[in-house]
Amino acid sequence: MAVSSSSLILSPPSLTKSHLTSLSLSWKQLPRNLSLPRHHRRRAPPIFAVVVSMNSKPTILVAEKLGDAGLDLLKSFANVDCSYNLSPEELCTKISLCDALIVRSGTKVSREVFESSGGRLKVVGRAGVGIDNVDLAAATEHGCLVVNAPTANTVAAAEHGIALLTAMARNVAQADASIKAGKWQRNKYVGVSLVGKTLAVMGFGKVGTEVARRAKGLGMNIIAHDPYAPADRAHAIGVDLVSFDEAIATADFITLHMPLTPATSKILNDENFAKMKKGVRIVNVARGGVIDEDALVRALDAGIVAQAALDVFTVEPPPKDSKLVNHENVTVTPHLGASTTEAQEGVAIEIAEAVVGALRGELAATAVNAPMVPSEVLIELKPYVTLAEKLGRLAVQLVAGGSGVKTVKVTYTSARAPDDLDTRLLRAMVTKGLIEPISSVFVNLVNADFTAKQRGIRISEERVILDGSPQKPLEAIRVQIANVESRFASAISELGEIKVEGQVKDGIPRLTKVGDFGVDVSLEGNIILCRQVDQPGMIGLVGSILGEENVNVSFMSVGRTVPRKQAIMTIGVDEKPSKEALKKIGDIPAVEEFVFLAL
Ligand SMILES: NC(=O)C1=CN([C@@H]2O[C@H](COP(=O)(O)OP(=O)(O)OC[C@H]3O[C@@H](n4cnc5c(N)ncnc54)[C@H](O)[C@@H]3O)[C@@H](O)[C@H]2O)C=CC1
Ligand SMILES: O=C(O)C(=O)COP(=O)(O)O
């Protein structure tokens, strides 16, 4: 057995155009460089490639207003059709004549658009961050690359957050409307001061960090909640990372900067509004869906929330009779976070470069969908790809809030020579598993290293080379996260790292180790991990609690170190058990700790 290792991700980046360019790869080169077994090399075509005939200029449809510098760049390469405010039907008609489409958040790029393109549409460029308006699955199915521009509007969004914060505190919008209506109401519009007040920044990513910096300059006391941000990055700018409950309970002002994910959807709801200080003020420049809008109206009416300032809404544009939008204590803007001249120029250039590069057959570092792997390789690696992603997902969910993920090690045990096992796809999938549950970023082979680097996550790889004939590509994959605390202490190995390991058995990815405990369960659905005193009757006890809740148990397995001492019970469940059921499991005297993990 031999071991070799390599380190892949370096220090946190400062992102510049030259970084982006240097990360671009040639699509045509990729298939040969991947882990194609020797006998397949040079035969398999890429599954996914932009192939545009260079005999005639390609046509790019720009469906929403784009900065001039970006337009000029597009025009130097292609025929550019700027058609704004197209109806869905008009877009579907035009698209069959276009090789690329550029949009912002206002155009729905639905499955019908891809179907109507008749296969000609090769690239969709989203001039901004969020791609919730693009049907990614349909794009991928139709072989269409989607690229975005994730960094150029960060400052604009942060500045808009500050604009809303200050305007809200001083009733600028309401007072402006009042004076224009012929009134002079100096007593009515007395505001509140910001200096010395506590601002909770929820989501300490690109935008949240910039908001925090600026609010410090206003003399505010800043706390932040982000379970995945490294505490030292926050400390470096004088911000304390705190728990969700502490953040919302201590804040005078709350500003939202997390992505819309299943975990953050309606995260501000009745239950959480009830925990806030009476008179709290809320700013949302992230996504409307992170607030339960009906609950916000109730909290405003009850005086729990004194004011809200909102740039984004669950449905955009919101209905004209929306109680929230028309509430007198609410200030609204029509999704203007990214709308500055400077940001739109930056975004336009960033997206134009990415689209032109893609049409030329290059890979953009900001591609959000691109399964660029030859079909033979994919077929062979498919269960390992799933295994790698699920191990990443498991590992990150085992991290306790507050301990930022920075150092990850992936170990591959294989009898294949390194030359015959390129691990880039597997590493990308581990990265995807680590990052996607905690962000709005879509991670794939193309952008995985870029995304990890951007987040300051250092991923190192190690190979353990087995003797013997390489029947299967891999024996096992292990993911370790160092320098973190775990929500499930037993997941910490002797070396003090969170450790999960898996194998593919009969084509099915299985979890085989948690910390130093051996387990053996297939990685599907959701998992409850439970450490208990090894004694008879435990399976029955837990099973009946779940049964009472009508939660379907797909499997149960018990692994132990020493009989009658400690065991790890792994329970697969189709549905998420209620908080009460999980509490009942935790209350069983023999249960020492447990954790629920969604795969
Ligand atoms: N209104 C507008 O025009 C604009 C809106 N946006 C939106 O702003 C949001 C933030 O964008 P970026 O800062 O660029 O993204 P980012 O990915 O850099 O930052 C998001 C942060 O949220 C954190 N996070 C994930 N789950 C969390 C949770 N449950 N609780 C607290 N934090 C959590 C992540 O760890 C990450 O640090 C996105 O939703 C984006 O779509 C961005 C630009 C313009
Ligand atoms: O970039 C984002 O996520 C935004 O929300 C900005 O959207 P826009 O490009 O202004 O339609």
Side-chain angles (χ1 to χ4, degrees), residues 9 34 191 202 216 260 291 357 476 509 523 538 580:
I9 308 298
L34 278 167
M202 311 298 283
K216 271 199 103 56
L260 179 60
I291 298 182
L523 282 164
M538 288 301 291
E580 294 73 39

Side-chain angles (χ1 to χ4, degrees), residues 400-578:
S403 19
V405 175
K406 282 206 289 194
T407 312
V408 178
K409 181 164 142 191
V410 188
T411 307
Y412 312 97
T413 306
S414 168
R416 288 250 168 109
D419 192 31
D420 253 348
L421 181 70
D422 185 324
T423 54
R424 275 181 297 175
L425 177 58
L426 298 169
R427 184 177 82 230
M429 295 309 283
V430 171
T431 310
K432 181 179 169 73
L434 287 169
I435 291 177
E436 279 191 355
I438 60 172
S439 86
S440 54
V441 173
F442 290 82
V443 181
N444 57 37
L445 176 62
V446 184
N447 65 6
D449 288 352
F450 169 83
T451 309
K453 185 174 174 180
Q454 205 180 29
R455 285 167 183 264
I457 303 178
R458 179 190 167 92
I459 302 183
S460 63
E461 291 186 302
E462 186 171 279
R463 304 276 186 105
V464 177
I465 301 163
L466 292 175
D467 296 332
S469 67
Q471 289 297 317
K472 46 184 180 178
L474 281 149
E475 199 51 42
I477 303 177
R478 183 160 67 228
V479 176
Q480 285 156 281
I481 305 181
N483 307 322
V484 287
E485 312 241 310
S486 178
R487 296 164 59 206
F488 186 66
S490 317
I492 302 275
S493 71
E494 268 187 351
L495 294 173
E497 300 169 330
I498 288 182
K499 180 167 89 178
V500 288
E501 189 171 312
Q503 295 181 6
V504 172
K505 295 183 186 174
D506 299 324
I508 310 284
R510 300 184 77 84
L511 178 68
T512 52
K513 211 168 237 187
V514 174
D516 291 325
F517 285 87
V519 297
D520 188 17
V521 292
S522 71
L523 282 164
E524 55 193 358
N526 307 303
I527 286 183
I528 299 172
L529 288 176
C530 179
R531 187 188 66 203
Q532 69 207 40
V533 178
D534 184 28
Q535 62 180 43
M538 288 301 291
I539 291 187
L541 269 177
V542 175
S544 57
I545 292 172
L546 295 171
E548 276 164 24
E549 281 253 323
N550 204 19
V551 171
N552 197 35
V553 174
S554 51
F555 57 78
M556 272 191 174
S557 101
V558 180
R560 60 193 180 183
T561 40
V562 182
R564 301 267 171 174
K565 282 211 145 169
Q566 268 183 340
I568 294 279
M569 178 157 55
T570 319
I571 307 153
V573 285
D574 291 340
E575 300 85 19
K576 180 173 180 178
S578 68

Side-chain angles (χ1 to χ4, degrees), residues 119-153:
R120 180 159 170 187
L121 183 65
K122 291 289 179 247
V123 188
V124 171
R126 159 53 168 125
V129 183
I131 44 159
D132 22 331
N133 53 322
V134 180
D135 186 332
L136 270 191
T140 306
E141 278 170 40
H142 287 80
C144 181
L145 179 72
V146 180
V147 288
N148 72 347
T151 57
N153 64 23

Side-chain angles (χ1 to χ4, degrees), residues 159-493:
E159 287 179 349
H160 197 61
I162 296 291
L164 287 180
L165 177 77
T166 49
M168 171 177 70
R170 301 307 294 271
N171 302 304
V172 171
Q174 291 86 342
D176 175 74
S178 147
I179 202 167
K180 283 179 176 146
K183 298 175 192 163
W184 185 256
Q185 298 175 292
R186 297 183 67 218
N187 291 337
K188 184 168 182 191
Y189 294 118
V190 173
V192 289
S193 189
L194 299 176
V195 69
K197 299 284 169 58
T198 297
L199 172 69
V201 177
M202 311 298 283
F204 199 65
K206 294 191 291 294
V207 179
T209 306
E210 293 304 323
V211 166
R213 279 188 216 282
R214 284 158 177 74
K216 271 199 103 56
L218 298 173
M220 299 189 84
N221 165 40
I222 317 293
I223 53 174
H225 169 69
D226 187 327
Y228 314 105
D232 53 0
R233 187 160 61 79
H235 284 152
I237 57 166
V239 173
D240 280 335
L241 284 181
V242 299
S243 70
F244 179 84
D245 280 355
E246 188 182 339
I248 60 167
T250 28
D252 302 301
F253 292 81
I254 296 174
T255 184
L256 301 170
H257 301 290
M258 67 261 273
L260 179 60
T261 67
T264 61
S265 173
K266 297 194 175 174
I267 197 161
L268 294 199
N269 49 29
D270 286 313
E271 191 188 337
N272 288 326
F273 283 125
K275 295 177 189 162
M276 293 177 190
K277 262 191 189 173
K278 199 166 162 56
V280 66
R281 289 175 164 80
I282 295 175
V283 176
N284 187 8
V285 192
R287 282 292 178 267
V290 301
I291 298 182
D292 177 339
E293 292 177 338
D294 294 336
L296 177 55
V297 172
R298 287 189 285 275
L300 283 157
D301 287 342
I304 300 173
V305 175
Q307 288 182 298
L310 311 169
D311 184 46
V312 282
F313 306 89
T314 308
V315 175
E316 292 184 2
K320 283 206 174 72
D321 60 354
S322 158
K323 276 193 183 150
L324 183 61
V325 170
N326 293 304
H327 200 287
E328 63 167 343
N329 295 335
V330 174
T331 303
V332 287
T333 49
H335 201 145
L336 289 181
S339 293
T340 63
T341 314
E342 295 82 355
Q344 284 312 309
E345 280 300 302
V347 162
I349 294 169
E350 198 174 351
I351 204 62
E353 282 179 349
V355 168
V356 168
L359 288 173
R360 283 200 177 112
E362 293 160 9
L363 259 185
T366 57
V368 290
N369 71 335
M372 309 249 326
V373 185
S375 50
E376 289 84 345
V377 175
L378 253 194
I379 289 163
E380 195 189 30
L381 283 186
K382 204 171 168 203
Y384 299 93
V385 162
T386 311
L387 175 64
E389 181 180 353
K390 298 225 162 157
L391 289 174
R393 271 181 181 271
L394 272 189
V396 79
Q397 289 180 70
L398 286 166
V399 175
S403 19
V405 175
K406 282 206 289 194
T407 312
V408 178
K409 181 164 142 191
V410 188
T411 307
Y412 312 97
T413 306
S414 168
R416 288 250 168 109
D419 192 31
D420 253 348
L421 181 70
D422 185 324
T423 54
R424 275 181 297 175
L425 177 58
L426 298 169
R427 184 177 82 230
M429 295 309 283
V430 171
T431 310
K432 181 179 169 73
L434 287 169
I435 291 177
E436 279 191 355
I438 60 172
S439 86
S440 54
V441 173
F442 290 82
V443 181
N444 57 37
L445 176 62
V446 184
N447 65 6
D449 288 352
F450 169 83
T451 309
K453 185 174 174 180
Q454 205 180 29
R455 285 167 183 264
I457 303 178
R458 179 190 167 92
I459 302 183
S460 63
E461 291 186 302
E462 186 171 279
R463 304 276 186 105
V464 177
I465 301 163
L466 292 175
D467 296 332
S469 67
Q471 289 297 317
K472 46 184 180 178
L474 281 149
E475 199 51 42
I477 303 177
R478 183 160 67 228
V479 176
Q480 285 156 281
I481 305 181
N483 307 322
V484 287
E485 312 241 310
S486 178
R487 296 164 59 206
F488 186 66
S490 317
I492 302 275
S493 71

